[in-house]
Short mmCIF file of all heavy atoms in Angstrom, two decimals:
data_model
loop_
_atom_site.label_atom_id
_atom_site.label_comp_id
_atom_site.label_asym_id
_atom_site.label_seq_id
_atom_site.Cartn_x
_atom_site.Cartn_y
_atom_site.Cartn_z
N GLN I 194 -44.20 -128.39 -16.35
CA GLN I 194 -44.75 -127.40 -15.49
C GLN I 194 -45.93 -126.71 -16.11
O GLN I 194 -46.09 -126.69 -17.34
CB GLN I 194 -43.69 -126.34 -15.14
CG GLN I 194 -43.17 -125.51 -16.28
CD GLN I 194 -42.18 -124.45 -15.83
OE1 GLN I 194 -41.53 -124.58 -14.76
NE2 GLN I 194 -42.07 -123.39 -16.61
N LEU I 195 -46.80 -126.17 -15.26
CA LEU I 195 -47.98 -125.41 -15.68
C LEU I 195 -47.81 -124.01 -15.12
O LEU I 195 -47.46 -123.81 -13.98
CB LEU I 195 -49.28 -126.01 -15.13
CG LEU I 195 -49.56 -127.48 -15.40
CD1 LEU I 195 -50.88 -127.86 -14.77
CD2 LEU I 195 -49.55 -127.76 -16.86
N VAL I 196 -47.99 -123.03 -15.98
CA VAL I 196 -47.86 -121.62 -15.60
C VAL I 196 -49.12 -120.86 -15.88
O VAL I 196 -49.57 -120.79 -17.05
CB VAL I 196 -46.68 -120.96 -16.35
CG1 VAL I 196 -46.56 -119.50 -15.93
CG2 VAL I 196 -45.34 -121.70 -16.04
N GLU I 197 -49.72 -120.29 -14.82
CA GLU I 197 -50.95 -119.52 -14.95
C GLU I 197 -50.61 -118.04 -15.14
O GLU I 197 -49.60 -117.54 -14.67
CB GLU I 197 -51.84 -119.67 -13.73
CG GLU I 197 -52.28 -121.08 -13.43
CD GLU I 197 -51.52 -121.66 -12.24
OE1 GLU I 197 -50.36 -121.29 -12.04
OE2 GLU I 197 -52.12 -122.47 -11.55
N SER I 198 -51.57 -117.34 -15.74
CA SER I 198 -51.48 -115.87 -15.86
C SER I 198 -52.86 -115.29 -15.98
O SER I 198 -53.82 -116.02 -16.31
CB SER I 198 -50.60 -115.46 -17.04
OG SER I 198 -51.19 -115.92 -18.27
N GLY I 199 -53.03 -114.03 -15.76
CA GLY I 199 -54.27 -113.33 -15.96
C GLY I 199 -55.00 -112.94 -14.69
O GLY I 199 -56.06 -112.25 -14.78
N GLY I 200 -54.55 -113.35 -13.54
CA GLY I 200 -55.20 -112.96 -12.28
C GLY I 200 -55.02 -111.47 -11.98
O GLY I 200 -54.20 -110.81 -12.59
N GLY I 201 -55.75 -111.00 -11.04
CA GLY I 201 -55.63 -109.62 -10.62
C GLY I 201 -56.81 -109.14 -9.84
O GLY I 201 -57.63 -109.94 -9.32
N LEU I 202 -56.93 -107.82 -9.70
CA LEU I 202 -58.02 -107.18 -8.97
C LEU I 202 -59.02 -106.67 -9.94
O LEU I 202 -58.70 -105.97 -10.93
CB LEU I 202 -57.44 -106.06 -8.11
CG LEU I 202 -58.44 -105.18 -7.35
CD1 LEU I 202 -59.21 -105.99 -6.32
CD2 LEU I 202 -57.73 -103.98 -6.71
N VAL I 203 -60.30 -106.98 -9.67
CA VAL I 203 -61.39 -106.52 -10.54
C VAL I 203 -62.59 -106.15 -9.71
O VAL I 203 -62.80 -106.71 -8.62
CB VAL I 203 -61.71 -107.63 -11.58
CG1 VAL I 203 -62.30 -108.84 -10.92
CG2 VAL I 203 -62.64 -107.07 -12.65
N GLN I 204 -63.40 -105.22 -10.19
CA GLN I 204 -64.61 -104.83 -9.48
C GLN I 204 -65.72 -105.86 -9.69
O GLN I 204 -65.74 -106.56 -10.70
CB GLN I 204 -65.08 -103.47 -9.98
CG GLN I 204 -64.15 -102.32 -9.65
CD GLN I 204 -64.69 -100.98 -10.09
OE1 GLN I 204 -65.51 -100.90 -10.99
NE2 GLN I 204 -64.19 -99.94 -9.44
N PRO I 205 -66.67 -105.94 -8.77
CA PRO I 205 -67.81 -106.83 -9.01
C PRO I 205 -68.53 -106.52 -10.30
O PRO I 205 -68.68 -105.34 -10.67
CB PRO I 205 -68.75 -106.51 -7.78
CG PRO I 205 -67.80 -106.04 -6.75
CD PRO I 205 -66.73 -105.27 -7.46
N GLY I 206 -68.87 -107.57 -11.03
CA GLY I 206 -69.49 -107.43 -12.34
C GLY I 206 -68.48 -107.38 -13.45
O GLY I 206 -68.86 -107.46 -14.64
N GLY I 207 -67.21 -107.31 -13.13
CA GLY I 207 -66.17 -107.23 -14.14
C GLY I 207 -65.78 -108.66 -14.67
O GLY I 207 -66.37 -109.64 -14.29
N SER I 208 -64.78 -108.66 -15.51
CA SER I 208 -64.33 -109.89 -16.18
C SER I 208 -62.81 -110.05 -16.09
O SER I 208 -62.07 -109.06 -16.02
CB SER I 208 -64.75 -109.90 -17.64
OG SER I 208 -66.16 -109.84 -17.81
N LEU I 209 -62.39 -111.30 -16.08
CA LEU I 209 -60.96 -111.64 -16.20
C LEU I 209 -60.87 -112.89 -17.05
O LEU I 209 -61.80 -113.67 -17.11
CB LEU I 209 -60.35 -111.93 -14.83
CG LEU I 209 -60.02 -110.79 -13.91
CD1 LEU I 209 -59.58 -111.30 -12.54
CD2 LEU I 209 -58.96 -109.90 -14.51
N ARG I 210 -59.74 -113.03 -17.72
CA ARG I 210 -59.47 -114.25 -18.46
C ARG I 210 -58.17 -114.86 -17.97
O ARG I 210 -57.11 -114.23 -18.08
CB ARG I 210 -59.37 -113.98 -19.95
CG ARG I 210 -59.25 -115.21 -20.85
CD ARG I 210 -59.39 -114.86 -22.30
NE ARG I 210 -59.50 -116.03 -23.15
CZ ARG I 210 -58.55 -116.53 -23.92
NH1 ARG I 210 -57.36 -115.93 -23.97
NH2 ARG I 210 -58.79 -117.60 -24.69
N LEU I 211 -58.25 -116.07 -17.44
CA LEU I 211 -57.08 -116.76 -16.96
C LEU I 211 -56.53 -117.69 -18.05
O LEU I 211 -57.31 -118.26 -18.81
CB LEU I 211 -57.38 -117.58 -15.72
CG LEU I 211 -58.04 -116.88 -14.54
CD1 LEU I 211 -58.21 -117.86 -13.39
CD2 LEU I 211 -57.20 -115.66 -14.11
N SER I 212 -55.23 -117.76 -18.12
CA SER I 212 -54.57 -118.66 -19.07
C SER I 212 -53.61 -119.59 -18.33
O SER I 212 -53.03 -119.21 -17.32
CB SER I 212 -53.79 -117.85 -20.11
OG SER I 212 -54.62 -117.00 -20.85
N CYS I 213 -53.42 -120.78 -18.89
CA CYS I 213 -52.46 -121.73 -18.32
C CYS I 213 -51.81 -122.49 -19.46
O CYS I 213 -52.54 -123.05 -20.34
CB CYS I 213 -53.20 -122.69 -17.39
SG CYS I 213 -52.17 -124.06 -16.81
N ALA I 214 -50.53 -122.48 -19.48
CA ALA I 214 -49.73 -123.19 -20.50
C ALA I 214 -48.90 -124.27 -19.89
O ALA I 214 -48.16 -124.01 -18.93
CB ALA I 214 -48.87 -122.20 -21.29
N ALA I 215 -49.00 -125.47 -20.40
CA ALA I 215 -48.17 -126.59 -19.95
C ALA I 215 -46.94 -126.69 -20.86
O ALA I 215 -47.03 -126.51 -22.05
CB ALA I 215 -48.94 -127.91 -20.00
N SER I 216 -45.80 -127.01 -20.25
CA SER I 216 -44.59 -127.15 -21.02
C SER I 216 -43.75 -128.29 -20.45
O SER I 216 -43.98 -128.74 -19.36
CB SER I 216 -43.74 -125.85 -21.05
OG SER I 216 -43.35 -125.51 -19.71
N GLY I 217 -42.77 -128.73 -21.26
CA GLY I 217 -41.94 -129.83 -20.82
C GLY I 217 -42.09 -131.01 -21.74
O GLY I 217 -42.59 -130.92 -22.83
N ASN I 218 -41.63 -132.18 -21.28
CA ASN I 218 -41.67 -133.39 -22.08
C ASN I 218 -43.06 -134.03 -21.96
O ASN I 218 -43.22 -135.05 -21.24
CB ASN I 218 -40.58 -134.35 -21.67
CG ASN I 218 -39.20 -133.80 -22.03
OD1 ASN I 218 -39.04 -133.07 -22.95
ND2 ASN I 218 -38.24 -134.13 -21.18
N ILE I 219 -43.98 -133.47 -22.65
CA ILE I 219 -45.38 -133.91 -22.54
C ILE I 219 -45.71 -134.84 -23.71
O ILE I 219 -45.50 -134.53 -24.84
CB ILE I 219 -46.36 -132.70 -22.60
CG1 ILE I 219 -46.08 -131.75 -21.39
CG2 ILE I 219 -47.79 -133.18 -22.60
CD1 ILE I 219 -46.78 -130.43 -21.47
#
């Protein structure tokens, strides 16, 4: 599975950092 995090509400000109971690029998 892949699990994302870091989304949200931000004002124009702002910044966000999204993360995604894969887990399982990879």
Side-chain angles (χ1 to χ4, degrees):
Q194 64 177 25
L195 307 180
V196 179
E197 301 105 329
S198 62
L202 175 64
V203 66
Q204 294 183 338
S208 298
L209 285 173
R210 187 172 191 255
L211 305 183
S212 299
C213 172
S216 62
N218 295 328
I219 298 168

